[in-house]
Amino acid sequence: MTRRLALLSVALVASALLTGCGSVTIPIPTGDGGSVEVDTNGDGSVTVNGDGGSVTTGSGLPKGFPADEVPVIEGRVTGAMAIKQADGTQGYTFVVVVDDDIASATDKASGLLTDAGYKLENSVDSPGSTVRSLGSDAWMVVITVAAAEQGSGVNYVVATRQQ
């Protein structure tokens, strides 16, 4: 009976995940007396919550991303992740695929940030990629631009600046 109930539970969760119908929250014991919760969010993203914070994955800009404070190049956002630690620090990472070459994509992405008041803190160029780190009082942003199948991929790593 217990085995059937477990299989039924797994089947229900799997069907909800596959169909994207609504939000499903699943508590999972961690083995040390604690637990984490996995939430399907109902929008194609998945969040794992625990005592140490949360991680959300999905497509599009990550949930809670401060788009009004951190300007992002226009393009197709893929592979997004948001991390919030228990102490309130936040981080986001995602890739924006654009039609531009590496140099143009780098200029556009870093230009949006400097126009918004960010200061260039570090820059590294290599034949196949460019890395720029820029900062404001609140945020640290590292962009890595590399060739993609068509155009370039602009990888953003955005984190709360430690004061």
Side-chain angles (χ1 to χ4, degrees):
M1 180 73 159
T2 304
R3 183 181 168 139
R4 283 188 203 159
L5 183 58
L7 289 174
L8 178 60
S9 298
V10 169
L12 288 172
V13 169
S15 68
L17 289 171
L18 292 173
T19 60
C21 297
S23 174
V24 176
T25 302
I26 307 161
I28 301 172
T30 60
D32 61 0
S35 70
V36 296
E37 288 184 354
V38 178
D39 188 345
T40 62
N41 300 327
D43 62 1
S45 66
V46 175
T47 300
V48 178
N49 292 300
D51 293 339
S54 66
V55 175
T56 302
T57 63
S59 60
L61 284 177
K63 194 175 202 172
F65 181 75
D68 56 333
E69 297 176 51
V70 183
V72 174
I73 193 170
E74 253 185 72
R76 184 173 53 89
V77 178
T78 65
M81 182 170 50
I83 301 167
K84 185 171 184 179
Q85 296 183 4
D87 66 3
T89 56
Q90 300 175 55
Y92 306 91
T93 186
F94 52 92
V95 175
V96 181
V97 178
V98 298
D99 292 331
D100 300 315
D101 63 22
I102 294 171
S104 295
T106 301
D107 289 345
K108 286 180 183 178
S110 59
L112 288 168
L113 291 161
T114 56
D115 289 350
Y118 283 73
K119 303 289 184 224
L120 181 65
E121 297 182 358
N122 202 352
S123 178
V124 177
D125 296 317
S126 69
S129 67
T130 302
V131 179
R132 301 273 187 276
S133 69
L134 300 101
S136 71
D137 290 341
W139 298 99
M140 183 69 193
V141 180
V142 177
I143 56 171
T144 303
V145 184
E149 194 169 307
Q150 295 178 351
S152 298
V154 183
N155 183 71
Y156 283 80
V157 177
V158 179
T160 306
R161 181 170 294 277
Q162 298 294 320
Q163 301 293 333

